[in-house]
Amino acid sequence: MITWIRGGNLVDPVKGTVEQVDVIVENGKISRMLPPGVFQEEGPGISRIEASGRMVVPGLIDMHVHLREPGHEYKETIASGARAAAAGGYTAIACMPNTAPPNDCRAVTEFILEQAGRAGWVRVYPIAAISKGQAGETLTDFGELKAAGAVGVSDDGFPVVNSELMRRALEYASFYGLRVISHCEDRGLSGNGVMHEGVVSTRIGLAGIPDASEDIMVYREIALSRLTGRPVHIAHVSTAGSVDLIRRAKKKGIRVTAETAPHYFTLDHRRVIGYDTLAKVNPPLRSPEDVEAIKAGLREGVIDAIATDHAPHSSLEKEVEFDRAAFGMIGLQTALPLTLQLVRDRVLGLAEAIGKLSWAGATILGVPGGRLVEGGNADLAVIDLDYEYPFEADRILSKSKNSPFIGEVLKGIAELTMVGGKVVWEKR
Amino acid sequence: MVAQYERPSCLIEGKGVFFEESAVTKFEHKDLLGMGPLSVPEINLILDTAESLKAISARDIKKVPTLRGKSVVNFFYEPSTRTRISFDVAAKQLSADTLSLSATTSSMVKGETLLDTARNLQAMRPDLIVLRHPSSGAPHMLAKEVEAGIINAGDGINEHPTQALLDLYTIREKLGRIHGVKVVIIGDISHSRVARSNIIGLTKMGAEVTVSGPPTMMPVGIESLGVRVTPDPAQAVQGKDVVMLLRIQLERQSKVLFPSMREYASFFGLTTEMLQGANEGAIVMHPGPLNRGVEITPEVADGPYSVILDQVANGVAVRMAVLYLLIGGAKGDNVDQGR
């Protein structure tokens, strides 16, 4: 059985090229990549996917999602999250450990992988906890977790307070090739804050989370990375201060990588006016100046990756008073169009943008994919850059509908997503 | 829901017209959520209406039938004596039926969400819900969900618009104007809904506002609201017409914001001495309840500058005005009909 993806423009984030190529898929792998017109075979064994006028891109890889299973299946399951990912053009997602119980032991990692296998849809890579119970006290069994299938460690959402523990995590994780991912937040400084501390929080009377709450921890992780010589990855960068710190660290050759999420380059704290809990997220939507700094960070390569921080919450957590509402927003089906806006705004080139959504995550986590090559997995997406549509709730495949982009007109969509040669998603 | 306002021309016998011909006579809001959405003419309309209504409290029979058949729910998620009673008296003097709910008597203690409680209340079709809630934005959320008008009686650290309105009323009553009046607000500006509403209302009405207090209690970018910051209270009081104090709330502040009540009192408490620098005829205001000996010395609280009890009295009149403007004024009505 051969699948012939015909006439599409193939985006290669490594070479930075966009060129017309026919992609031939056999046995789940890309067997050949040919200039148009070369491949002419026809017959019952060949199925054809017309991609002319479309972009054929490496399957997107999201290095930061919350799938809520086990424990909070009413918000999302591994299956529903993986399906939303497929619809968003993703072929692989890495899920954070803050489930109930948290992914801090082999049994939970194996359970996640089993559920993901059952669900199909996309590849799921578990990220395990740094500390047992995400309590910040003792390290989890990194070796055993790695053997079970974990690709990284993070206490996402419960930042490691003890710097010595973080240091040991960086050192110990490097032995197993596990990337340490840090949610940078000084919880003491964040206090009871619910939005960015600034003129808007002052005006509408909500407790603020200062930008320094993030910057302080970003600096600590950079210092520990320098001290240990081990790599560290900074999750969801939201402040101009963080961008500046990471820029300087990279110049000095410190092994720091970073991601941001689409909402941090699309929305700012003014979106919270009116107390819309859909705009409540941690780190919070920052000032317009921060948004510009994030874009600059992406353009300069200071920020390596775009991840969603897909965080499903049901109406139980969101249809409540603003300060009682949960932090977080979903993002798997909006990341691609929002990132393509950066291309239209000339912040990023197309190949660069796709690279931040795919190749970057693959290299940082050390997982396959992120680039389409002969002999590689046929994990890819066919993208229509020009398709415009109102993003309505009924389009959302995630179990939770907590998106601040509902009602917005988005441009760009995954028409088809293929994982291991199998079409897992087709836009109707 | 649009309340149409007719000038209450026969409110006080012997006095006719209270409004200039150019003044607005309509109040087209469903809710009163904050000072932000109010225009200057609308604020003037509320104050003028309050002035007309204030006389009712002075009568032998303190009741007019204006809101007969209307129902007002006082829904207080936070303890409150003054505001709650003030709204209750205001509604009763206008003959509205009132119903009081508190966090302890409502189903909230049984785990019901604010929205569910509100939807249940809505099913009983009240005309107005007066909400006091510890979360900023709670009345805004409610206003989107229910048909009844919502009056924000204090939401978290956001706003307390009827307090600002009664303060504006008191300033106008005592000083004859608001425009150009120099006001200083002293205390925890960060966590005070009274400060926030007053800053918005006073600057809108053309007053010059200075805020003062420990730097730990000063929100970032407060200047963006059009105020000046003078941390030293003695200096801040200089040349002011109005000194407005805020209650220092132990229950809201952790010890991080100030080390002790004693230290606050000795550096930020308002004394008679400090008032020497204020303008002639300056007034001292406080939203209550007082912490005597903390933000204000007893001498000042009970002294000639103090208009604290006038504020309380004016609170009833201003709240009557707000109730009336939101749900009272069907065309052709006037406040004193049937008397």
Side-chain angles (χ1 to χ4, degrees), chain A residues 197-199 201-207 274-277 316 318-324, chain B residues 36 108 114-115 133-137 140-141 144 157-158 196 200 219-222 224-225:
Chain A
E197 180 177 311
V199 289
S201 67
T202 293
R203 174 64 184 77
I204 69 174
L206 288 173
Y275 308 97
D276 184 354
T277 57
L316 295 178
K318 285 293 189 182
E319 284 184 12
V320 295
E321 297 86 327
F322 195 90
D323 55 5
R324 294 172 194 210
Chain B
M108 190 199 153
L114 174 63
L115 277 189
H133 196 283
S135 297
S136 299
H140 305 69
M141 180 172 85
K144 280 183 217 149
I157 58 171
N158 180 37
R196 202 164 266 98
I200 298 166
V220 292
I222 187 70
S224 67
L225 297 188

Short mmCIF file of all heavy atoms in Angstrom, two decimals, chain A residues 197-199 201-207 274-277 316 318-324, chain B residues 36 108 114-115 133-137 140-141 144 157-158 196 200 219-222 224-225:
data_model
loop_
_atom_site.label_atom_id
_atom_site.label_comp_id
_atom_site.label_asym_id
_atom_site.label_seq_id
_atom_site.Cartn_x
_atom_site.Cartn_y
_atom_site.Cartn_z
N GLU A 197 0.34 41.83 37.16
CA GLU A 197 0.34 43.05 37.95
C GLU A 197 0.75 44.21 37.07
O GLU A 197 1.86 44.24 36.54
CB GLU A 197 1.30 42.93 39.14
CG GLU A 197 1.34 44.18 40.00
CD GLU A 197 2.23 44.03 41.22
OE1 GLU A 197 2.10 43.02 41.94
OE2 GLU A 197 3.06 44.92 41.44
N GLY A 198 -0.15 45.16 36.91
CA GLY A 198 0.13 46.30 36.05
C GLY A 198 -1.02 47.28 36.09
O GLY A 198 -1.87 47.21 36.99
N VAL A 199 -1.07 48.16 35.12
CA VAL A 199 -2.11 49.19 35.14
C VAL A 199 -3.51 48.59 35.06
O VAL A 199 -4.45 49.13 35.62
CB VAL A 199 -1.91 50.24 34.02
CG1 VAL A 199 -0.72 51.12 34.31
CG2 VAL A 199 -1.76 49.59 32.66
N SER A 201 -4.52 45.54 36.26
CA SER A 201 -4.91 44.96 37.56
C SER A 201 -5.25 46.08 38.55
O SER A 201 -6.17 45.97 39.34
CB SER A 201 -3.81 44.05 38.11
OG SER A 201 -2.65 44.78 38.44
N THR A 202 -4.51 47.16 38.46
CA THR A 202 -4.79 48.30 39.34
C THR A 202 -6.15 48.89 39.01
O THR A 202 -6.94 49.20 39.90
CB THR A 202 -3.69 49.37 39.16
OG1 THR A 202 -2.47 48.84 39.68
CG2 THR A 202 -4.02 50.65 39.92
N ARG A 203 -6.46 48.98 37.73
CA ARG A 203 -7.72 49.59 37.31
C ARG A 203 -8.93 48.72 37.65
O ARG A 203 -9.94 49.23 38.10
CB ARG A 203 -7.68 49.86 35.80
CG ARG A 203 -8.95 50.36 35.18
CD ARG A 203 -9.33 51.74 35.72
NE ARG A 203 -10.61 52.20 35.20
CZ ARG A 203 -11.78 51.75 35.63
NH1 ARG A 203 -11.84 50.86 36.60
NH2 ARG A 203 -12.91 52.21 35.12
N ILE A 204 -8.82 47.42 37.46
CA ILE A 204 -10.02 46.58 37.65
C ILE A 204 -10.02 45.83 38.98
O ILE A 204 -10.89 45.03 39.22
CB ILE A 204 -10.25 45.61 36.46
CG1 ILE A 204 -9.18 44.51 36.41
CG2 ILE A 204 -10.30 46.37 35.14
CD1 ILE A 204 -9.47 43.47 35.33
N GLY A 205 -9.03 46.14 39.82
CA GLY A 205 -9.10 45.61 41.17
C GLY A 205 -8.92 44.11 41.30
O GLY A 205 -9.66 43.45 42.01
N LEU A 206 -7.95 43.58 40.57
CA LEU A 206 -7.62 42.17 40.76
C LEU A 206 -6.18 42.08 41.26
O LEU A 206 -5.33 42.89 40.88
CB LEU A 206 -7.77 41.40 39.44
CG LEU A 206 -9.20 41.16 38.94
CD1 LEU A 206 -9.19 40.53 37.56
CD2 LEU A 206 -9.99 40.27 39.91
N ALA A 207 -5.93 41.10 42.13
CA ALA A 207 -4.59 40.95 42.68
C ALA A 207 -3.63 40.54 41.57
O ALA A 207 -3.95 39.71 40.72
CB ALA A 207 -4.61 39.91 43.79
N GLY A 274 -13.35 43.02 32.13
CA GLY A 274 -14.65 42.35 32.01
C GLY A 274 -14.67 41.05 32.81
O GLY A 274 -15.68 40.39 32.89
N TYR A 275 -13.53 40.72 33.39
CA TYR A 275 -13.41 39.55 34.28
C TYR A 275 -13.75 38.24 33.59
O TYR A 275 -14.38 37.36 34.17
CB TYR A 275 -14.29 39.74 35.54
CG TYR A 275 -14.04 41.05 36.24
CD1 TYR A 275 -14.85 42.15 36.03
CD2 TYR A 275 -12.97 41.19 37.11
CE1 TYR A 275 -14.61 43.37 36.66
CE2 TYR A 275 -12.71 42.39 37.75
CZ TYR A 275 -13.54 43.48 37.52
OH TYR A 275 -13.30 44.66 38.14
N ASP A 276 -13.34 38.10 32.33
CA ASP A 276 -13.59 36.86 31.61
C ASP A 276 -12.60 35.80 32.09
O ASP A 276 -11.39 35.91 31.87
CB ASP A 276 -13.41 37.12 30.11
CG ASP A 276 -13.75 35.90 29.28
OD1 ASP A 276 -14.02 34.83 29.87
OD2 ASP A 276 -13.75 36.02 28.04
N THR A 277 -13.14 34.77 32.74
CA THR A 277 -12.26 33.74 33.30
C THR A 277 -11.53 32.94 32.22
O THR A 277 -10.54 32.27 32.51
CB THR A 277 -13.02 32.76 34.21
OG1 THR A 277 -14.07 32.16 33.45
CG2 THR A 277 -13.62 33.48 35.41
N LEU A 316 -17.13 23.93 35.55
CA LEU A 316 -17.06 23.92 37.02
C LEU A 316 -15.93 24.80 37.53
O LEU A 316 -16.02 25.43 38.56
CB LEU A 316 -16.81 22.49 37.56
CG LEU A 316 -17.90 21.47 37.33
CD1 LEU A 316 -17.45 20.12 37.88
CD2 LEU A 316 -19.18 21.92 38.01
N LYS A 318 -14.50 27.20 35.55
CA LYS A 318 -14.44 28.48 34.85
C LYS A 318 -15.67 29.37 35.03
O LYS A 318 -15.56 30.59 34.95
CB LYS A 318 -14.20 28.24 33.35
CG LYS A 318 -12.74 27.84 33.03
CD LYS A 318 -11.76 28.99 33.30
CE LYS A 318 -10.36 28.68 32.79
NZ LYS A 318 -9.41 29.78 33.10
N GLU A 319 -16.84 28.78 35.27
CA GLU A 319 -18.03 29.62 35.44
C GLU A 319 -18.20 29.99 36.90
O GLU A 319 -19.22 29.70 37.55
CB GLU A 319 -19.27 28.90 34.90
CG GLU A 319 -19.30 28.94 33.38
CD GLU A 319 -20.56 28.32 32.80
OE1 GLU A 319 -21.52 28.06 33.54
OE2 GLU A 319 -20.57 28.09 31.58
N VAL A 320 -17.16 30.59 37.44
CA VAL A 320 -17.16 31.02 38.84
C VAL A 320 -16.51 32.40 38.90
O VAL A 320 -16.04 32.92 37.89
CB VAL A 320 -16.38 30.02 39.73
CG1 VAL A 320 -17.07 28.67 39.78
CG2 VAL A 320 -14.95 29.85 39.24
N GLU A 321 -16.46 32.95 40.11
CA GLU A 321 -15.84 34.25 40.30
C GLU A 321 -14.40 34.21 39.79
O GLU A 321 -13.72 33.19 39.92
CB GLU A 321 -15.86 34.63 41.79
CG GLU A 321 -17.25 34.79 42.38
CD GLU A 321 -17.85 33.47 42.88
OE1 GLU A 321 -17.59 32.41 42.28
OE2 GLU A 321 -18.59 33.52 43.88
N PHE A 322 -13.92 35.33 39.28
CA PHE A 322 -12.60 35.35 38.63
C PHE A 322 -11.51 34.81 39.55
O PHE A 322 -10.67 34.00 39.15
CB PHE A 322 -12.24 36.76 38.16
CG PHE A 322 -11.09 36.78 37.20
CD1 PHE A 322 -11.31 36.68 35.83
CD2 PHE A 322 -9.78 36.86 37.65
CE1 PHE A 322 -10.25 36.66 34.93
CE2 PHE A 322 -8.71 36.84 36.76
CZ PHE A 322 -8.95 36.74 35.40
N ASP A 323 -11.47 35.26 40.79
CA ASP A 323 -10.37 34.83 41.66
C ASP A 323 -10.50 33.38 42.10
O ASP A 323 -9.56 32.80 42.61
CB ASP A 323 -10.16 35.78 42.85
CG ASP A 323 -11.41 35.99 43.66
OD1 ASP A 323 -12.44 35.33 43.37
OD2 ASP A 323 -11.38 36.80 44.61
N ARG A 324 -11.68 32.78 41.91
CA ARG A 324 -11.84 31.37 42.26
C ARG A 324 -11.64 30.45 41.05
O ARG A 324 -11.58 29.24 41.18
CB ARG A 324 -13.24 31.12 42.82
CG ARG A 324 -13.45 31.81 44.14
CD ARG A 324 -14.89 31.70 44.59
NE ARG A 324 -15.11 32.65 45.66
CZ ARG A 324 -15.97 32.48 46.65
NH1 ARG A 324 -16.72 31.40 46.70
NH2 ARG A 324 -16.09 33.39 47.59
N GLY B 36 -16.93 53.59 36.74
CA GLY B 36 -16.41 53.69 35.38
C GLY B 36 -17.46 53.98 34.32
O GLY B 36 -17.30 54.89 33.52
N MET B 108 -25.02 29.00 49.73
CA MET B 108 -23.59 29.01 49.45
C MET B 108 -22.84 28.11 50.42
O MET B 108 -21.90 27.44 50.05
CB MET B 108 -23.09 30.44 49.56
CG MET B 108 -21.69 30.61 49.07
SD MET B 108 -21.05 32.13 49.75
CE MET B 108 -19.32 31.75 49.76
N LEU B 114 -22.15 30.77 42.99
CA LEU B 114 -22.77 32.09 42.91
C LEU B 114 -23.78 32.14 41.77
O LEU B 114 -24.89 32.66 41.92
CB LEU B 114 -21.69 33.16 42.71
CG LEU B 114 -22.18 34.58 42.46
CD1 LEU B 114 -22.97 35.11 43.65
CD2 LEU B 114 -21.02 35.51 42.14
N LEU B 115 -23.41 31.56 40.63
CA LEU B 115 -24.31 31.61 39.47
C LEU B 115 -25.59 30.84 39.73
O LEU B 115 -26.67 31.29 39.36
CB LEU B 115 -23.61 31.06 38.23
CG LEU B 115 -22.71 32.04 37.49
CD1 LEU B 115 -22.26 31.44 36.18
CD2 LEU B 115 -23.41 33.36 37.25
N HIS B 133 -19.62 41.15 47.61
CA HIS B 133 -18.95 39.87 47.39
C HIS B 133 -17.44 40.02 47.51
O HIS B 133 -16.90 41.05 47.09
CB HIS B 133 -19.32 39.35 45.98
CG HIS B 133 -19.04 37.90 45.77
ND1 HIS B 133 -17.76 37.45 45.53
CD2 HIS B 133 -19.84 36.82 45.78
CE1 HIS B 133 -17.80 36.13 45.40
NE2 HIS B 133 -19.05 35.72 45.54
N PRO B 134 -16.76 39.04 48.06
CA PRO B 134 -15.31 39.17 48.22
C PRO B 134 -14.50 39.08 46.92
O PRO B 134 -13.31 39.39 46.93
CB PRO B 134 -14.94 38.01 49.15
CG PRO B 134 -16.05 37.03 49.02
CD PRO B 134 -17.28 37.83 48.71
N SER B 135 -15.12 38.67 45.82
CA SER B 135 -14.37 38.53 44.56
C SER B 135 -14.61 39.73 43.66
O SER B 135 -15.76 40.04 43.32
CB SER B 135 -14.82 37.28 43.80
OG SER B 135 -14.53 36.12 44.55
N SER B 136 -13.52 40.36 43.21
CA SER B 136 -13.65 41.43 42.23
C SER B 136 -14.32 40.87 40.97
O SER B 136 -13.95 39.79 40.51
CB SER B 136 -12.26 41.96 41.85
OG SER B 136 -11.62 42.50 42.98
N GLY B 137 -15.29 41.60 40.45
CA GLY B 137 -15.93 41.16 39.21
C GLY B 137 -17.15 40.28 39.41
O GLY B 137 -17.84 39.97 38.44
N HIS B 140 -20.28 41.79 38.07
CA HIS B 140 -20.24 41.86 36.61
C HIS B 140 -20.69 40.53 36.01
O HIS B 140 -21.39 40.46 35.01
CB HIS B 140 -18.84 42.21 36.12
CG HIS B 140 -18.30 43.48 36.73
ND1 HIS B 140 -17.97 43.55 38.06
CD2 HIS B 140 -18.04 44.70 36.22
CE1 HIS B 140 -17.53 44.77 38.34
NE2 HIS B 140 -17.56 45.48 37.23
N MET B 141 -20.24 39.45 36.66
CA MET B 141 -20.61 38.11 36.20
C MET B 141 -22.11 37.91 36.37
O MET B 141 -22.80 37.42 35.47
CB MET B 141 -19.82 37.09 37.02
CG MET B 141 -20.10 35.66 36.66
SD MET B 141 -18.97 34.52 37.49
CE MET B 141 -19.80 34.31 39.03
N LYS B 144 -24.44 39.68 33.83
CA LYS B 144 -24.57 39.05 32.52
C LYS B 144 -25.57 37.91 32.56
O LYS B 144 -26.13 37.52 31.55
CB LYS B 144 -23.21 38.50 32.06
CG LYS B 144 -22.29 39.58 31.48
CD LYS B 144 -21.00 38.94 30.98
CE LYS B 144 -19.82 39.86 31.26
NZ LYS B 144 -18.56 39.18 31.50
N ILE B 157 -11.53 43.87 45.87
CA ILE B 157 -10.75 45.11 45.99
C ILE B 157 -11.04 46.01 44.79
O ILE B 157 -10.29 46.91 44.49
CB ILE B 157 -9.24 44.82 46.10
CG1 ILE B 157 -8.73 44.02 44.89
CG2 ILE B 157 -8.94 44.09 47.39
CD1 ILE B 157 -7.22 43.89 44.83
N ASN B 158 -12.15 45.75 44.12
CA ASN B 158 -12.43 46.51 42.90
C ASN B 158 -13.17 47.82 43.15
O ASN B 158 -12.56 48.88 43.16
CB ASN B 158 -13.19 45.63 41.91
CG ASN B 158 -13.51 46.35 40.63
OD1 ASN B 158 -12.68 47.13 40.16
ND2 ASN B 158 -14.68 46.12 40.08
N ARG B 196 -10.67 53.01 45.05
CA ARG B 196 -10.75 52.87 43.59
C ARG B 196 -11.97 53.59 43.04
O ARG B 196 -11.88 54.34 42.07
CB ARG B 196 -10.76 51.38 43.23
CG ARG B 196 -10.31 51.11 41.82
CD ARG B 196 -9.98 49.64 41.62
NE ARG B 196 -8.57 49.37 41.81
CZ ARG B 196 -8.03 48.89 42.92
NH1 ARG B 196 -8.78 48.63 43.96
NH2 ARG B 196 -6.75 48.68 42.99
N ILE B 200 -11.92 57.08 40.66
CA ILE B 200 -12.57 57.17 39.35
C ILE B 200 -13.62 58.28 39.35
O ILE B 200 -13.67 59.12 38.45
CB ILE B 200 -13.20 55.81 38.96
CG1 ILE B 200 -12.11 54.74 38.85
CG2 ILE B 200 -13.96 55.92 37.64
CD1 ILE B 200 -12.64 53.31 38.80
N PRO B 219 -0.78 50.58 44.67
CA PRO B 219 -0.74 49.68 43.51
C PRO B 219 0.13 50.24 42.38
O PRO B 219 0.26 51.45 42.25
CB PRO B 219 -2.20 49.60 43.08
CG PRO B 219 -2.85 50.83 43.61
CD PRO B 219 -2.09 51.21 44.85
N VAL B 220 0.70 49.35 41.59
CA VAL B 220 1.56 49.80 40.49
C VAL B 220 0.74 50.59 39.47
O VAL B 220 -0.40 50.25 39.19
CB VAL B 220 2.25 48.62 39.75
CG1 VAL B 220 3.26 47.94 40.62
CG2 VAL B 220 1.24 47.63 39.22
N GLY B 221 1.33 51.64 38.97
CA GLY B 221 0.67 52.40 37.91
C GLY B 221 -0.58 53.14 38.36
O GLY B 221 -1.43 53.46 37.54
N ILE B 222 -0.68 53.44 39.65
CA ILE B 222 -1.88 54.14 40.14
C ILE B 222 -2.00 55.52 39.48
O ILE B 222 -3.09 56.04 39.28
CB ILE B 222 -1.88 54.23 41.69
CG1 ILE B 222 -3.19 54.82 42.23
CG2 ILE B 222 -0.69 55.04 42.23
CD1 ILE B 222 -4.38 53.93 42.09
N SER B 224 -1.75 56.16 36.54
CA SER B 224 -2.49 56.04 35.29
C SER B 224 -3.98 56.33 35.48
O SER B 224 -4.71 56.53 34.53
CB SER B 224 -2.30 54.65 34.68
OG SER B 224 -2.90 53.66 35.50
N LEU B 225 -4.43 56.33 36.74
CA LEU B 225 -5.83 56.67 37.00
C LEU B 225 -6.00 58.18 37.20
O LEU B 225 -7.07 58.65 37.58
CB LEU B 225 -6.36 55.92 38.22
CG LEU B 225 -6.39 54.39 38.13
CD1 LEU B 225 -7.12 53.80 39.32
CD2 LEU B 225 -7.06 53.92 36.85
#
